[in-house]
Amino acid sequence: MTHADDRSLRETMYRAYVTRASEFDAHTNAKGESLNNADIMGQILQLREQKAKLLGFDNYAEVSLSTKMADNVAEVETFLRSLATQATPAAKQDLAQLQKYAQDYGIEELQAWDSAYIAEKVKQSEFSLSQEEIRPYFPLPKVIGGLFAIVERLYGIKVQEQTAFVSRWHDDVSFYQLFDADDNVLGGFYFDLFARSGKRGGAWMSGFQSRYSYDEKNHQQLPVCFMVGNFTPALDGKPSLLTHDEVLTLFHEFGHGLHHLLTQVTVGDVAGVNGVEWDAVELPSQFMENWAWDAEGIALISSHVETGAPLPKDKLAALLAVKNFQSGMQTLRQIEFALFDLLIHAHTPALDYDGILATLNSVRDDIAIMQTPDYNRFANGFSHIFAGGYAAGYYSYKWAELLSADAFSKFEEEGIFNPVTGKAFRDTILSVGGSFPAKTNFENFRGRSASIDALLRHSGFADTKKGRAAANASTTHGMI
Ligand SMILES: [Zn+2]
């Protein structure tokens, strides 16, 4: 869809993809049964409603939100609709940019099957920056050293590698201990960062043991976790070199790691990331990524493998431009999914297939700025909410972005290495785990409820003239 020059092939592919598991899908499984999910979707919604009633709720959205940071359906709906309003001017500019380029490729009317293809053309001509070009500036040892220096400055902690007396499952694995300012050990973590055959793909943090104390037996257990990645190993005497995306991944997982390690809670179930609301658990991780976008942070984590020079300013500016490329359109798409998910789970009585499609159409009418073909059955393959754990929770992605952007904006105001602000973040968010509601923690840190303004700014929406006006007009209802 991104590179195929044949427009009719793209259309064929698009139609096949967006009609999967619907009444337009002619495929059957090995037993000759239809792959149409229509009835199953209705059944799932009915069963979820039944579960909600058994638990004393009106609908499944209430069940989902009862263990999340957001208070109720109205609050999430207001957040999503408000964000949509503010992203729309930027999205219209994004669309106009695509339409303008489409003309150059002989496309009079931009269709759904053209957008990824044209977006790639715009990217190639407007941003001449590849992740490979960035790689030599981020040797892994430099990035790790810079990352440690950043958290040491922010939180007054020290990180030390520990080689003796620690068993490891592979030579690539290293182990570190974390100390507070008085040299008391706080916990430990393993880095297992390189790809190798047989290893699961992706990157993640997982707890090995939680902070825990059992006073009667005078037993203390310190937190230990794993941070795992799949970076390219060192080769030919050169250190492992990271793309900027991989740098962000490392910062992200380290944010989760600090949440686990800096906890002061000694009840395992609510220590660290345990028991933290689903829509708030990505706050410390996304928050940490901000230092890898900031010029002062970049200066600490980059050093060209041959020249030793930090990443030049123009390359950072280019990275930032690519980051916000088409962010208006992308935001509206995410909101469309999130609002659809919320509304079908908040509806009583449970919707049947026709009701599900009608809801999807009305959400598209409200949110989308580009016409979706009638036959599009996106919902039938929306496995996050029908087969995964995101039911009435898809909004969490944007919600956590709002929290992390707003938390970081306090550092933008007070200095991104301000140790007082760092201590406040550690004390109010990282230390307390799930022992208090995330909303309380956030308000204790920020001194107010979360505001949408920083997210708008970080997404580049505040740069569009209309966007700025809209942002000012709706600051109040953008609060959550
Ligand atoms: Zn994460």
Side-chain angles (χ1 to χ4, degrees):
M1 297 307 287
T2 306
H3 298 284
D5 293 325
D6 183 343
R7 193 179 186 210
S8 72
L9 176 65
R10 293 202 305 269
E11 183 177 356
T12 305
M13 178 71 191
Y14 174 84
R15 185 186 281 264
Y17 190 71
V18 302
T19 54
R20 282 170 307 143
S22 77
E23 65 272 33
F24 302 128
D25 186 339
H27 297 88
T28 53
N29 68 12
K31 291 184 199 154
E33 294 161 341
S34 154
L35 296 184
N36 185 359
N37 275 344
D39 294 342
I40 300 172
M41 294 156 75
Q43 282 165 22
I44 289 174
L45 291 190
Q46 245 174 36
L47 289 167
R48 283 179 180 158
E49 179 180 56
Q50 202 182 334
K51 179 177 177 178
K53 297 260 150 84
L54 282 171
L55 293 169
F57 295 94
D58 275 342
N59 55 61
Y60 191 77
E62 288 181 4
V63 177
S64 166
L65 295 184
S66 68
T67 54
K68 292 190 171 70
M69 176 175 167
D71 286 332
N72 51 49
V73 172
E75 186 183 25
V76 178
E77 187 172 351
T78 302
F79 161 61
L80 292 172
R81 290 194 187 276
S82 160
L83 183 57
T85 305
Q86 319 222 28
T88 298
K92 284 186 174 156
Q93 288 186 358
D94 293 345
L95 182 59
Q97 187 186 34
L98 293 184
Q99 281 164 337
K100 188 174 143 280
Y101 268 81
Q103 305 279 331
D104 298 345
Y105 289 86
I107 296 170
E108 280 307 313
E109 205 180 327
L110 188 81
Q111 299 287 354
W113 48 90
D114 300 317
S115 20
Y117 177 78
I118 296 296
E120 180 62 20
K121 299 289 180 205
V122 181
K123 228 174 174 177
Q124 280 172 10
S125 88
E126 308 245 330
F127 315 105
S128 57
L129 190 79
S130 77
Q131 286 281 337
E132 292 309 310
E133 220 177 300
I134 296 297
R135 221 183 251 280
Y137 289 97
F138 293 113
L140 183 62
K142 177 70 185 179
V143 177
I144 290 177
L147 170 61
F148 291 171
I150 289 169
V151 300
E152 285 172 11
R153 281 171 76 177
L154 279 175
Y155 304 124
I157 51 177
K158 277 173 277 184
V159 183
Q160 243 166 42
E161 186 168 6
Q162 202 67 41
T163 47
F165 315 116
V166 180
S167 16
R168 274 166 285 243
W169 56 96
H170 192 276
D171 285 345
D172 283 353
V173 177
S174 41
F175 180 78
Y176 301 83
Q177 278 182 318
L178 205 61
F179 298 88
D180 68 14
D182 305 320
D183 287 327
N184 299 309
V185 63
L186 295 167
F189 61 91
Y190 294 89
F191 267 168
D192 181 356
L193 299 179
F194 299 119
R196 61 177 177 268
S197 86
K199 184 173 169 180
R200 183 178 133 187
W204 65 93
M205 184 289 286
S206 70
F208 172 52
Q209 57 180 42
S210 297
R211 192 180 184 96
Y212 166 73
S213 82
Y214 186 24
D215 295 338
E216 282 161 46
K217 301 260 181 198
N218 200 19
H219 175 72
Q220 304 280 339
Q221 176 177 285
L222 291 177
V224 177
C225 67
F226 311 108
M227 284 172 255
V228 187
N230 272 281
F231 304 148
T232 314
L235 208 67
D236 302 330
K238 270 194 190 166
S240 166
L241 301 172
L242 305 190
T243 63
H244 190 254
D245 282 345
E246 289 172 332
V247 171
L248 292 173
T249 300
L250 182 66
F251 273 63
H252 181 101
E253 299 310 332
F254 205 75
H256 282 311
L258 287 180
H259 201 183
H260 183 83
L261 296 166
L262 291 178
T263 198
Q264 287 301 310
V265 180
T266 53
V267 178
D269 284 346
V270 284
V273 300
N274 297 338
V276 174
E277 292 93 322
W278 181 303
D279 47 353
V281 79
E282 295 295 329
L283 162 61
S285 52
Q286 296 192 3
F287 166 81
M288 198 70 230
E289 292 178 32
N290 287 294
W291 275 265
W293 284 113
D294 185 275
E296 285 180 78
I298 288 283
L300 288 170
I301 60 171
S302 65
S303 164
H304 192 280
V305 67
E306 274 147 25
T307 65
L311 185 76
K313 282 207 172 71
D314 61 323
K315 288 207 193 304
L316 175 60
L319 277 175
L320 283 163
V322 175
K323 177 191 175 207
N324 286 336
F325 174 62
Q326 292 284 310
S327 66
M329 293 273 277
Q330 274 163 20
T331 298
L332 288 192
R333 205 173 135 80
Q334 288 294 309
I335 293 171
E336 190 181 310
F337 299 166
L339 194 55
F340 165 69
D341 162 48
L342 183 76
L343 295 181
I344 58 166
H345 286 106
H347 196 278
T348 31
L351 294 166
D352 59 10
Y353 185 56
D354 288 340
I356 293 171
L357 292 184
T359 308
L360 183 58
N361 285 333
S362 89
V363 167
R364 280 177 180 157
D365 286 346
D366 288 354
I367 305 296
I369 56 165
M370 208 176 142
Q371 190 71 33
T372 311
D374 291 343
Y375 58 77
N376 182 306
R377 291 290 179 269
F378 156 77
N380 296 48
F382 196 1
S383 57
H384 274 79
I385 66 162
F386 287 109
Y390 277 89
Y394 196 83
Y395 75 93
S396 298
Y397 288 107
K398 280 288 157 204
W399 187 274
E401 267 181 54
L402 174 145
L403 296 178
S404 61
D406 195 25
F408 184 67
S409 71
K410 188 169 163 74
F411 287 85
E412 291 176 315
E413 290 156 15
E414 298 170 1
I416 75 150
F417 291 111
N418 189 320
V420 178
T421 319
K423 186 176 184 311
F425 189 77
R426 181 179 167 183
D427 291 347
T428 54
I429 310 254
L430 297 175
S431 301
V432 296
S435 64
F436 288 99
K439 210 164 215 173
T440 308
N441 298 342
F442 190 89
E443 288 172 10
N444 284 342
F445 173 64
R446 211 56 186 90
R448 55 163 173 73
S449 48
S451 148
I452 204 169
D453 294 349
L455 175 62
L456 298 177
R457 194 159 43 75
H458 290 184
S459 307
F461 302 156
D463 298 341
T464 62
K465 242 189 195 154
K466 280 185 194 160
R468 194 155 31 217
N472 291 338
S474 54
T475 311
T476 40
H477 74 257
M479 307 285 275
I480 55 166

